[in-house]
Amino acid sequence: MRRKVIAGNWKMNMTPSQAKALIEETKPLVAGKDNCDIIFCVPFVDIYAAKEAAKGSNIKIGAENVHFAQKGAYTGEISAEMLKECGVEYVIVGHSERRQYFGETDETVNLRTKAALEAGMTVLLCLGEVKDERLNGITDEVVSMQTKLALKDITAEQLKNVIIAYEPVWAIGTGLTATPEQADETCGVIRNTIKSLYGEKAAEEIIIQYGGSMNASNAKELLAKENVDGGLIGGASLKAKDFSIIVDAAQ
Ligand code: PEP
């Protein structure tokens, strides 16, 4: 039985004081809901405030990206070591908005994944097809290839600290959600890819989340599917009540 992981991706929302307020509001709503891991991935500048606010609760704090170099002339970037020293345990890598707007490629996603794993963080590795790829019937090939490229040279031991977030790009922030059947099927394709790369046990153990307009109304159905081990949640993670309903659905 895989443990469910419910993670919020705040994107470019929330100042440090707003972050504190949202976590204070969410804490009592998710207190004692210990049958799943609860994570907020927050903007870099919110990390300290979020960590402080989450202290003593079951909410863990992650970041939204990490650079692949250890240090150097990469203006505006943040290294894995910097995040680690701030107490960050999780980091999103390869979000479709990074791929779409900031030129992330499968290669840089792989490098960032490696850097985060080497620093001892758990990676929420995002991948998923765009609308045309689904319409053209090549979703399975696309997610399988993205999985292979993102995990290039990552060992079976390191894979234990990877969570995959299957996020169909056409469903992110659009209000369109994959049906539970589509989510289950494509998460299953990713699981089979892991099996071909790392064997049956790794495939059984890896956590594969669904992300893409998951909300308080549709979470229960999505999370009930065999291959869906949690959710990566954008918009609905900015509302304490909605987020807590999703956490309830994962119990
Ligand atoms: C996301 O940002 O990863 C996401 C799934 O966003 P939303 O839930 O708003 O679609």
Side-chain angles (χ1 to χ4, degrees), residues 46-196:
D46 291 345
I47 289 170
Y48 267 116
K51 287 284 296 179
E52 272 304 301
K55 235 178 221 166
S57 77
N58 52 350
I59 298 172
K60 295 169 182 161
I61 302 302
E64 297 179 14
N65 199 10
V66 61
H67 197 257
F68 44 80
Q70 285 184 345
K71 59 161 93 169
Y74 299 99
T75 303
E77 291 285 335
I78 300 285
S79 74
E81 190 188 4
M82 291 170 186
L83 292 177
K84 196 66 188 154
E85 197 170 316
C86 293
V88 168
E89 297 168 75
Y90 296 85
V91 60
I92 294 174
V93 173
H95 192 279
S96 67
E97 287 151 16
R98 299 293 318 172
R99 295 181 192 246
Q100 205 176 337
Y101 306 134
F102 301 100
E104 294 273 344
T105 62
D106 288 318
E107 192 191 353
T108 58
V109 168
N110 171 249
L111 293 174
R112 288 177 200 258
T113 300
K114 276 189 204 155
L117 291 172
E118 276 158 21
M121 282 183 281
T122 295
V123 171
L124 304 177
L125 172 62
C126 300
L127 50 92
E129 81 287 1
V130 298
K131 190 175 172 192
D132 278 353
E133 291 166 338
R134 179 154 289 268
L135 292 177
N136 289 325
I138 57 166
T139 296
D140 295 3
E141 288 85 344
V142 168
V143 298
S144 181
M145 186 53 74
Q146 286 177 333
T147 305
K148 286 178 185 160
L149 294 173
L151 295 176
K152 186 170 167 281
D153 299 330
I154 282 160
T155 66
E157 199 48 38
Q158 288 177 313
L159 187 75
K160 292 179 181 162
N161 291 320
V162 175
I163 292 171
I164 295 180
Y166 163 57
E167 299 208 301
V169 179
W170 49 270
I172 297 178
T174 58
L176 297 172
T177 316
T179 64
E181 291 69 31
Q182 285 171 326
D184 189 44
E185 192 188 329
T186 310
C187 288
V189 169
I190 296 167
R191 201 175 298 289
N192 271 333
T193 308
I194 296 294
K195 186 172 165 188
S196 73

Side-chain angles (χ1 to χ4, degrees), residues 9-11 92 95-97 126 167 171-176 210-215 232-237:
N9 171 20
W10 285 1
K11 313 195 188 200
I92 294 174
H95 192 279
S96 67
E97 287 151 16
C126 300
E167 299 208 301
I172 297 178
T174 58
L176 297 172
Y210 167 78
S213 300
M214 187 184 274
N215 59 40
L232 182 57
I233 297 123
S237 72

